[in-house]
Amino acid sequence: MGAATPCAACKLLRRRCAQHCVFAPYFPAHHPHKCSSVHEVFGASNVSKLLQELGEHQRSDAVSWMVYEANARIRDQVNGCVGTIACLQRQVDALQQKLAITQAQLLQLKMAQFSSAKSSSVGNLLLPPLPNININVGASPSLWSC
């Protein structure tokens, strides 16, 4: 990057963007929000040190992780991305439970159909009713909010 168009980091830090600026490839001028959140959470000095310690092939992934973690930490100062992961795990658990109930209801319906077809020789083998649940996930926005 030349001095004419400083990267977002150099702009934020109000300094000249050197030709071999460590920030320039990862914090372009047209993405100032990425830089500001990372700077707010980690600090420019720490980010600079980290990027210099990593090989060039690892830097892009590191910056992606820092941007994600910084945004998560800004949303949830205590838990950061761990809070998001825990929320997503609760959603997975709830959906697995709904799936198990739905599969059990499907099995009950199949058993009832089988039983009614064989009712003359076997008798009525209906299982006790399962709880009626709403499995329309799209209708439950609270399920998806992390």
Side-chain angles (χ1 to χ4, degrees):
M1 256 285 121
T5 55
C7 68
C10 291
K11 223 182 241 187
L12 180 71
L13 298 171
R14 295 187 176 129
R15 67 179 192 190
R16 263 187 148 183
C17 194
Q19 185 175 359
H20 298 290
C21 176
V22 70
F23 299 116
Y26 313 105
F27 299 104
H30 60 279
H31 289 293
H33 59 281
K34 284 174 54 175
C35 183
S36 64
S37 61
V38 169
H39 175 65
E40 180 180 336
V41 173
F42 296 106
S45 177
N46 290 330
V47 174
S48 175
K49 287 176 193 173
L50 177 71
L51 290 176
Q52 289 173 353
E53 289 175 6
L54 293 174
E56 287 200 31
H57 66 284
Q58 296 173 311
R59 291 178 183 176
S60 180
D61 289 338
V63 168
S64 294
W65 170 80
M66 284 187 279
V67 169
Y68 182 81
E69 176 62 31
N71 289 331
R73 187 65 59 180
I74 289 169
R75 278 192 315 274
D76 182 351
Q77 294 179 359
V78 175
N79 297 311
C81 68
V82 173
T84 303
I85 291 168
C87 179
L88 292 171
Q89 185 59 53
R90 286 190 301 272
Q91 290 176 11
V92 167
D93 294 343
L95 291 171
Q96 285 175 336
Q97 183 180 15
K98 286 182 177 187
L99 178 62
I101 290 170
T102 303
Q103 288 172 332
Q105 288 174 334
L106 182 60
L107 179 62
Q108 182 180 13
L109 289 172
K110 287 181 180 181
M111 294 284 290
Q113 287 176 347
F114 177 76
S115 176
S116 66
K118 300 264 184 178
S119 64
S120 61
S121 62
V122 177
N124 196 356
L125 296 175
L126 288 178
L127 299 172
L130 291 170
N132 191 7
I133 61 165
N134 179 8
I135 58 171
N136 186 359
V137 174
S140 178
S142 64
L143 181 66
W144 302 111
S145 59
C146 283

